[in-house]
């Protein structure tokens, strides 16, 4: 055979092999990760994206359980000390070996000045014992430390120093930071190209320490803010996965032979809160007293809400009605406690009359219109429900940018909020939503100042109780008290809705994370 | 001449200051970026601290003075949302918007003028009636609807053109261009068409009206009477005189194309300044919003200045007027 012929055959084969191997996954999301710096913003989109490039000590598995990450094993030698054995042979994308120094550096970097300091402010000291062992001492016993660490990613100390990115970008001082646009992690994907707001490209990290359960070699991530455009991009085949899908388009996408929709419950619980502190409501026609201080009024509101209709009409089936302030997937959630008071407008009317409001009263309801799935529509439905028992609701919906500062000032009598415990643990919901507000930040999102000293006491105990069974019992007790008080009106967990080509296989996690290492594209099915 | 230019410049600066003031005042009410900057677990003390560090607790005049002082040096601070320099962000996004606006303007001119001429010359025919009706539709349909319809037909159904983004771009120093690649052009067609539709119909109706006006005037009648061929009368004399106001309007419309491409950029996820502005609004990213509004005001002020100067050169009456003012001073 002619040698040049042979060369061309080999070249041809090589090209064909190369073509067969290159698998590009194109993902469109409604927003963009604002920075590539994993410690700059505590927000799920940012963390799910950077979580493909960077890794935490403790990871989560496909059921959101704890799994070894950069640490292979962790133990608790003392109640307030955790010891982590680090994985050996791990290299950062630039080839630098991963050691205990990087861990000590990263946990410090995620401290004061970082948006992640909520995760690290219980730390007293982070110590390096040897190259592959690190100890974290906390101020008080902290049983959920491994959970907390799942969102704190590890950066390379040397790289940060070389790039002058020892601390997350400080908007106050007007200093930019290389870590915002560049990245060097240990994760399964490397950052190749970054155009904020337009396009971010990841490529597979060949020297990853674990087997990557995915055939994807390149990920092109595009933010598409407009919902109709996002759906159009999927329908026209320009992207493979979109998230989220607007509820009204779910059926349409399902009808396409090439596409599918994945829906599942989200960890976020949507609920209503009431001002139970002021002696007179800010926005009501009841003068001289606060009707929400009367449990019968709160119960009347609860039983007047027709949650099943909200589920079927407003949420088009994509919601899970709840009787608890935390959803499935949060530690401490118990299905037997998750029962709602029955929907009963007649009973509600009677309760209102007993409380001294036979003709009802007027109250304003504050609601965001661009934060949760169909949030303003939910409030409208609630207003209609309450009208049936004589309560006239003045609905005020507005954008989240003005909504949150307002309700955080407690400038509200009745409000809608959604909450995902950032630690995946009930303690976070108890402490932020149900404990009596204090100067130290406890009860910070308890905007109606619901207060039960027993719940406060239990919340404190839960924080440092290390025995898992006892801890769960305490959580159960606290939830029972809150439910009996009708401290808030839980509504539902909204659903995640992702849509993709049928050729895409992926894992949908209830925390709305999408690790690309679990995404597979089947070329033959295309 | 110099006095005229100086006076116009002084006016321009006054306008810019007024715009900056209004823009900045508005932002006192758009919300609090601190809620978004800090996560849900931050304490009230941390929020207060950040607000103080960012200077958001300062009285309005102090904040405004600082903003103007920095802006004069071309410094708009750091985007609260992206932690990047606002000036860098705007410079990155400017090419995308300018290319989109220019192509849209070219489309509007190259299609709108012939259509307007046709509608004027063939007044009363069925075809020109159809053109007029269709143009009414173009003026009255909202931009986002036109965009979505185009996406539905050409991207989803026919799959001829991409539905979002800018496609492949080539960097020429700080400038990125999509005009040098086929992929870039493909991505440009739908958004440019969407943006051009309104301008196109506007130009068409304007050309038609002006043309009808000119055709009625004496010099056309004389031209006809001299026995000049139709072609020369229409395109040599009539069209030339029609185009003067059309060019003025187009100049001003280029400014509004850049300013109002917000909706088109949002629908097509076009990475331009309009999209940046929308994203900034959703986050109460005050530095970006203020800088964007000032930049747009600057574009308008500059265009107006140029137009005024052109008038000054073209129209001898204006010149006589100012020179007399100059003498009296």
């Amino acid at each position: 055979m002619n040698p040049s012929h042979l060369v061309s055959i080999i070249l041809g084969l090589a090209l064909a092999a190369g073509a067969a191997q290159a698998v590009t996954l194109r993902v469109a999301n409604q927003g963009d990760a604002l920075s590539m710096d994993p410690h700059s913003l505590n927000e799920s989109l940012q963390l799910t994206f950077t979580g493909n490039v960077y890794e935490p000590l403790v990871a989560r598995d496909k059921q959101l359980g704890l799994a070894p990450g950069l640490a292979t094993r962790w133990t608790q030698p003392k109640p307030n000390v955790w010891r982590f054995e680090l994985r050996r042979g791990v290299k950062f994308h630039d080839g630098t070996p991963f050691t205990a120094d990087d861990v000590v550096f990263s946990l410090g970097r995620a401290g004061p000045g970082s948006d992640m300091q909520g995760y690290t402010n219980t730390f007293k000291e982070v110590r390096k014992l040897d190259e592959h062992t690190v100890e974290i001492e906390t101020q008080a016993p902290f049983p959920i430390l491994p959970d907390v660490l799942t969102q704190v990613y590890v950066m390379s100390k040397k790289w940060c120093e070389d790039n002058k990115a020892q601390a997350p970008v400080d908007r106050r001082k007007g200093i930019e930071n290389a870590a915002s646009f560049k990245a060097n992690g240990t994760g399964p994907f490397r950052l190749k190209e970054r155009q904020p707001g337009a396009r971010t490209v990841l490529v597979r990290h060949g020297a990853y320490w674990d087997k990557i359960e995915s055939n994807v070699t390149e990920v092109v991530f595009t933010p598409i803010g407009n919902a109709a455009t996002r759906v159009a991009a999927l329908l026209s085949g320009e992207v493979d996965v979109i998230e989220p899908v607007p509820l009204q388009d779910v059926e349409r996408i399902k009808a396409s032979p090439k596409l599918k929709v994945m829906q599942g419950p989200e960890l976020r619980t949507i609920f209503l809160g009431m001002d139970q502190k002021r002696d007179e409501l800010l926005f009501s026609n009841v003068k001289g007293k606060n009707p929400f201080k009367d449990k019968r009024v709160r119960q009347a509101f609860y039983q007047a809400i027709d949650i099943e209709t909200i589920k079927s009409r407003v949420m088009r089936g994509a919601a899970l009605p709840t009787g608890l302030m935390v959803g499935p997937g949060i530690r401490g959630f118990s299905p037997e406690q998750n029962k709602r008071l029955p929907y009963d407008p007649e009973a509600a009317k009677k309760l209102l009359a007993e409380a001294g409001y036979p003709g009802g009263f007027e109250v304003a309801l504050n609601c965001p219109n661009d934060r949760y799935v169909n949030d303003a529509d939910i409030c409208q439905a609630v207003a209609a429900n309450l009208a049936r028992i004589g309560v006239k609701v003045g609905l005020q919906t507005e954008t989240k940018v003005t909504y949150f500062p307002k309700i955080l000032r407690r400038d509200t009598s009745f409000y809608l909020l959604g909450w995902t415990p950032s630690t995946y643990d009930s303690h976070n919901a108890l402490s932020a939503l149900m404990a009596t507000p204090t100067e130290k930040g406890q009860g910070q999102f308890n905007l109606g100042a619901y207060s039960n000293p027993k719940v406060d006491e239990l919340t404190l105990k839960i924080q440092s109780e290390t025995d898992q069974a006892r801890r769960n019992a305490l959580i159960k007790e606290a939830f029972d008290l809150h439910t009996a008080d009708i401290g808030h009106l839980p509504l539902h967990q909204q659903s995640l809705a992702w849509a993709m080509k049928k050729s895409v296989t992926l894992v949908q996690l209830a925390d709305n994370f999408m690790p690309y290492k679990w995404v597979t594209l089947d070329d033959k099915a295309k | 001449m110099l006095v005229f230019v100086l006076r116009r410049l002084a006016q321009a600066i006054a306008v810019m200051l007024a715009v900056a003031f209004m823009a900045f005042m508005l932002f006192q009410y758009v919300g609090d970026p601190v809620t978004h900057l800090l996560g849900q677990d931050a304490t009230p003390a941390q929020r207060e601290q950040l607000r103080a560090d960012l200077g958001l607790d300062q009285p309005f005049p102090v904040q405004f003075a600082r903003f103007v002082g920095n802006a004069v040096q071309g410094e708009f601070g750091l985007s609260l949302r992206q932690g990047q320099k606002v000036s860098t962000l705007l410079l990155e996004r400017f090419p995308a918007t300018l290319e989109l606006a220019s192509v849209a303007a070219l489309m509007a001119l190259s299609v709108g003028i012939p259509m307007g001429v046709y509608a004027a010359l063939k007044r009363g025919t069925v075809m020109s009636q159809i053109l007029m009706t269709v143009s009414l539709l173009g003026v009255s349909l909202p931009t986002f609807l036109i965009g979505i319809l185009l996406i539905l037909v050409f991207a989803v159904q026919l799959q001829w053109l991409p539905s979002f983004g800018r496609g492949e771009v080539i960097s020429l120093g700080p400038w990125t261009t999509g005009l040098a690649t086929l992929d870039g052009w493909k991505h440009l067609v739908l958004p440019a068409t969407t943006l051009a539709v309104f301008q196109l119909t506007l130009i068409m109706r304007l050309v038609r009206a002006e043309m009808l006006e000119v055709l009625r005037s004496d010099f056309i009648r004389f031209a006809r009477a001299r026995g000049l061929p139709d072609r020369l009368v229409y395109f040599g004399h009539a069209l030339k005189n029609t185009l003067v106001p059309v060019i003025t309007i187009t100049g001003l419309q280029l400014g509004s194309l850049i300013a109002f491409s917000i909706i088109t950029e949002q629908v097509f996820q076009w990475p331009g300044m309009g999209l940046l502005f929308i994203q900034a609004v959703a986050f109460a990213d005050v530095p970006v919003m203020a800088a964007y509004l000032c930049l747009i005001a600057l574009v308008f002020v500059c265009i107006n200045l140029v137009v005024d100067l052109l008038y000054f050169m073209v129209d001898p009456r204006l010149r006589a007027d100012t020179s007399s003012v100059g003498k009296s001073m």
Side-chain angles (χ1 to χ4, degrees), chain A residues 265-500:
Chain A
E266 196 183 336
L267 291 181
R268 186 186 308 284
T269 299
I270 307 288
F271 60 89
L272 295 165
M274 301 146 286
D275 180 357
Q276 295 161 59
K277 186 179 182 193
R278 293 189 176 90
D279 291 323
E280 183 181 299
L281 290 179
L282 289 181
F283 309 103
S284 166
N285 64 347
V286 180
K287 295 300 164 201
K289 56 179 174 174
N290 177 349
F292 286 135
K293 285 195 178 190
D294 192 326
K295 187 187 148 186
R296 288 169 296 189
V297 173
R298 303 199 294 271
Q299 187 171 343
F301 272 49
Y302 194 139
Q303 295 201 279
I305 295 170
D306 180 3
I307 198 72
E308 284 305 323
T309 307
I310 291 179
K311 177 185 169 177
S312 61
R313 294 281 159 77
V314 178
M315 303 298 289
R316 303 188 192 224
L320 200 67
T322 178
L324 273 181
M325 295 291 281
V326 296
I330 302 294
R331 188 182 308 122
F333 169 85
S334 53
E336 67 271 22
Q337 275 184 302
N338 191 21
K339 288 197 187 75
R340 289 183 63 85
L341 291 175
Y343 164 60
D344 190 344
E346 287 313 313
K349 261 189 206 160
K350 236 162 81 192
L351 281 163
L352 263 192
E354 276 171 35
Y357 307 96
F361 57 91
E362 288 176 25
V363 65
L365 171 58
N366 295 105
C367 199
N369 57 22
D370 55 358
R371 180 63 190 91
Y372 311 112
V373 179
N374 293 350
D375 38 15
D377 301 334
I378 296 170
C379 289
Q380 225 154 40
V382 167
N385 284 163
L386 290 173
R388 289 189 57 187
I389 63 166
V391 173
K392 212 174 141 202
V393 171
L395 188 56
Q396 292 177 9
T397 64
E398 61 196 302
T399 167
K400 62 187 176 196
V401 185
T402 50
Y403 179 73
F404 282 106
K406 178 153 104 191
I407 59 165
L408 276 171
R409 283 197 308 269
R410 267 70 177 165
D411 212 356
T412 178
S413 300
F414 189 27
Y415 61 91
L416 178 103
L417 197 67
W419 192 262
T420 305
S422 50
T423 52
Y424 301 71
D425 186 278
S426 294
H427 172 261
N428 173 276
L430 278 164
S431 161
L433 305 174
M434 293 174 254
T436 311
T438 64
E439 285 299 308
K440 285 185 173 168
Q442 187 160 264
Q444 201 194 337
F445 280 81
N446 182 0
L447 306 174
Y450 158 78
S451 177
N452 181 337
K454 192 81 183 85
V455 172
D456 293 348
E457 199 188 310
L458 286 165
T459 305
L460 273 181
K461 270 193 199 157
I462 293 161
Q463 185 166 343
S464 47
E465 176 58 65
T466 48
D467 182 277
Q468 219 38 257
R470 262 208 305 261
R471 198 166 178 278
N472 281 339
L474 292 173
I475 291 173
K476 195 157 185 278
E477 197 185 337
F479 281 165
D480 276 338
L481 286 169
H482 178 265
T483 306
D485 285 341
I486 312 190
H488 294 80
L489 311 178
L491 296 175
H492 56 239
Q493 276 94 39
Q494 61 192 33
S495 279
L496 299 172
W498 302 357
M500 63 216 77

Side-chain angles (χ1 to χ4, degrees), chain A residues 25 27-29 44 47-49 51-52 219 221 241-243 498-500 504 506-509 511-519:
Chain A
L25 175 74
V27 182
N29 195 297
S44 47
L47 292 172
T48 175
F49 192 84
N52 290 296
V219 181
F221 178 91
V241 181
I242 64 168
E243 187 238 320
W498 302 357
M500 63 216 77
V504 174
L506 50 71
V507 180
Q508 187 175 45
L509 300 170
D511 60 0
N512 210 2
F513 275 45
M514 188 193 288
Y516 300 136
K517 66 175 175 185
W518 292 334
V519 183

Side-chain angles (χ1 to χ4, degrees), chain A residues 44-256:
Chain A
S44 47
L45 178 56
Q46 171 118 348
L47 292 172
T48 175
F49 192 84
T50 50
N52 290 296
V53 178
Y54 291 102
E55 289 178 296
L57 288 180
V58 183
R60 289 204 183 268
D61 61 22
K62 292 172 185 170
Q63 286 77 41
L64 287 183
L66 297 181
L70 287 177
T72 49
R73 226 164 69 85
W74 46 95
T75 52
Q76 210 175 352
K78 278 187 247 165
N80 59 343
V81 174
W82 284 86
R83 184 174 297 161
F84 294 88
E85 281 173 35
L86 305 185
R87 193 176 293 280
R88 284 152 200 267
V90 175
K91 281 195 166 62
F92 285 99
H93 296 154
D94 66 353
T96 320
F98 157 73
T99 68
D101 290 324
D102 299 314
V103 177
V104 176
F105 166 77
S106 297
L107 293 182
R109 193 178 186 273
S114 157
D115 196 26
M116 306 304 285
Q117 66 170 312
Y119 294 106
T120 58
N121 57 15
T122 50
F123 295 3
K124 194 170 164 197
E125 197 196 350
V126 183
R127 289 185 288 266
K128 164 187 174 181
L129 296 191
D130 60 50
E131 282 300 297
H132 297 283
T133 319
V134 170
E135 245 180 31
I136 300 176
E137 187 180 339
T138 52
Q139 275 143 5
F142 194 50
I144 58 165
L145 186 111
D147 291 84
V148 167
L149 283 183
T150 55
Q151 312 235 318
V152 184
Y153 302 146
V154 176
M155 299 176 81
S156 158
K157 181 172 186 242
K158 183 177 170 294
W159 184 85
C160 285
E161 283 167 358
D162 290 349
N163 285 280
K164 299 196 172 50
Q166 288 100 324
V169 67
D170 195 339
R171 296 171 183 86
R172 293 152 239 201
K173 302 202 179 85
I175 305 164
E176 292 175 293
N177 199 326
S180 306
F181 328 112
K182 295 196 278 180
N184 178 40
T186 56
F189 289 89
R190 272 192 297 122
L191 180 67
K192 183 183 161 200
E193 186 192 337
R194 168 78 178 153
Q195 296 172 27
R199 182 181 144 94
T200 307
V201 182
L202 301 179
V203 289
R204 200 181 171 97
H205 172 39
Y208 188 57
W209 53 267
D210 198 5
K211 193 177 156 286
I212 305 177
E213 294 175 42
S214 160
N215 62 343
V216 172
T217 52
E218 186 185 51
V219 181
V220 179
F221 178 91
T222 324
I224 303 183
N226 187 298
T229 311
R230 196 162 59 246
V231 172
L234 181 72
L235 290 173
S236 64
E238 289 165 81
V239 296
D240 305 308
V241 181
I242 64 168
E243 187 238 320
V245 182
L247 291 181
Q248 70 269 16
D249 289 329
V250 167
E251 290 310 315
R252 163 146 199 225
I253 294 175
K254 277 185 183 162
S256 158

Side-chain angles (χ1 to χ4, degrees), chain B residues 8-70:
Chain B
R8 296 294 296 145
L9 273 178
Q11 278 172 3
I13 290 171
V15 168
M16 287 304 298
L17 267 178
V19 168
F21 181 77
M22 283 192 289
F24 207 79
M25 200 163 66
L26 269 181
F27 300 140
Q28 301 297 307
Y29 303 102
V30 295
D32 187 357
V34 169
T35 330
H36 298 267
L37 281 172
L38 290 172
Q40 62 179 26
D41 295 311
T43 64
Q46 284 169 342
R47 283 173 214 277
E48 278 314 305
Q49 181 64 41
L50 180 62
R51 195 168 287 120
D53 288 344
L54 289 171
L56 296 174
D57 58 342
Q58 304 263 331
F60 172 70
V62 177
Q63 289 194 45
F64 181 63
R66 207 172 42 187
F67 172 76
V68 172
N70 289 336

